[in-house]
Amino acid sequence: MQKNIEVISQWTESAQYWEKHRKIIRHMFAPVTQALMKAAAITRRGAFLDLATGPGEPALSIAELIGSEGTVVGTDPVAEMVEAARREGERRGLHNATFEVAFAENLPFPANSFDAVVSRFGVMFFASPADALRECLRVLKPGGRIAMAVWHFVEKNPFHYTVAQVLERYVDSPPPAPDSPDAFRFASPGKLQAVLSAAGAAATSERLLRFSIEAPISVESFWTLRSEMSEKLRRKIAALSKQQISALKHEVLESLKTYSSEQGISFPAEVLIVSGRKERAHELNREQLSSGGTL
Ligand SMILES: C[S@@+](CC[C@H](N)C(=O)[O-])C[C@H]1O[C@@H](n2cnc3c(N)ncnc32)[C@H](O)[C@@H]1O
């Protein structure tokens, strides 16, 4: 319960910034969205679920892809995120996308409801990834696929470490407690795949996605986006004096220049795409069938 209250308070303030920078975030992480849709085998027809959708991704991209022949539901426990997702769905006329407030560990859907479940940069923040993955398998139809994107090691991702390394010189940054919610909780190859297999998924696999995070923006705009998007960065920066913030910004802009050109910013990036499927009807045992409802 305490953990749930913390999650909501941390992400509630972030919602306004994720909505403000929505267009750039969508552009930067489009290769991850594409990889998830492929790993989850999302096709035109079907019912799809996007867990921890935040202000609506990848749900809105899926809605665009499937058109009127399919439906997608995005869920997030933070009402402000869900409202932002609904606003964007309405703005873009995506009537096949709906959004609901829900924790991944307790989904408000009957068993065997969805053809595929995806989640982009969500599972590492869940209070209980194991419970959430069991819930995903419950709401998936037999044979339905699940695909999740998590960050590979921070050293592989200058999108994260460029700002973090400079900030470390200004604020103490003790490492997070082992296995606590954090962007790099599932950075070790095999870790999330093992949790997915233990939850009961079949045919699990992991793919290392190497891509570029690109955006047609200046280093200054990137600094604003990065320092607003992350609750951790906002909290640490808020503890600094005005002079420290100005010195920090100056150093960050200098180190960001390596990744900047006339076209904007471009960071090499690495993400793990972990996927699997719910066992097919003939593979499920009696116990799974009774907990999963009718087939
Ligand atoms: C990094 S954001 C990702 C948002 C979106 N999927 C994207 O890629 O743009 C992480 C999201 O996880 C959500 N979250 C945190 N704990 C959760 C939980 N237990 N169940 C479902 N979502 C959760 C947060 O509210 C937040 O919106």
Side-chain angles (χ1 to χ4, degrees), residues 17-96:
Y17 300 116
W18 282 67
E19 186 167 28
K20 173 180 167 191
H21 300 295
R22 155 194 305 292
K23 235 173 137 180
I24 298 293
I25 295 174
R26 184 166 183 239
H27 188 81
M28 290 191 305
F29 300 146
V32 182
T33 300
Q34 294 305 320
L36 280 175
M37 294 199 289
K38 190 171 168 208
I42 290 178
T43 51
R44 280 193 154 276
R45 283 198 191 89
F48 305 108
L49 172 65
D50 174 21
L51 279 189
T53 191
E57 284 296 337
L60 295 164
S61 295
I62 293 173
E64 254 170 8
L65 175 84
I66 58 180
S68 57
E69 289 175 66
T71 56
V72 57
V73 186
T75 60
D76 199 281
V78 173
E80 286 76 359
M81 289 285 193
V82 167
E83 284 155 19
R86 283 185 186 139
R87 272 194 291 278
E88 182 66 2
E90 275 165 33
R91 195 187 67 77
R92 282 161 49 190
L94 295 168
H95 304 298
N96 55 349

Side-chain angles (χ1 to χ4, degrees), residues 4 7 11 18 25 29 50-58 75-78 81 102-105 119-123 125-128:
N4 289 354
V7 166
W11 288 100
W18 282 67
I25 295 174
F29 300 146
D50 174 21
L51 279 189
T53 191
E57 284 296 337
T75 60
D76 199 281
V78 173
M81 289 285 193
F103 278 95
E105 294 88 345
S119 190
R120 191 180 80 178
F121 304 137
V123 64
F125 297 110
F126 296 172
S128 174

Side-chain angles (χ1 to χ4, degrees), residues 219-249:
V219 286
E220 178 113 26
S221 302
F222 179 75
W223 156 257
T224 306
L225 172 140
R226 225 19 230 117
S227 53
E228 290 185 345
M229 261 176 92
S230 160
E231 187 268 338
K232 220 176 179 176
L233 290 183
R234 285 197 313 273
R235 190 166 23 90
K236 288 181 180 174
I237 293 169
L240 300 177
S241 68
K242 266 193 177 162
Q243 286 87 335
Q244 284 176 311
I245 295 176
S246 144
L248 166 75
K249 182 176 166 185

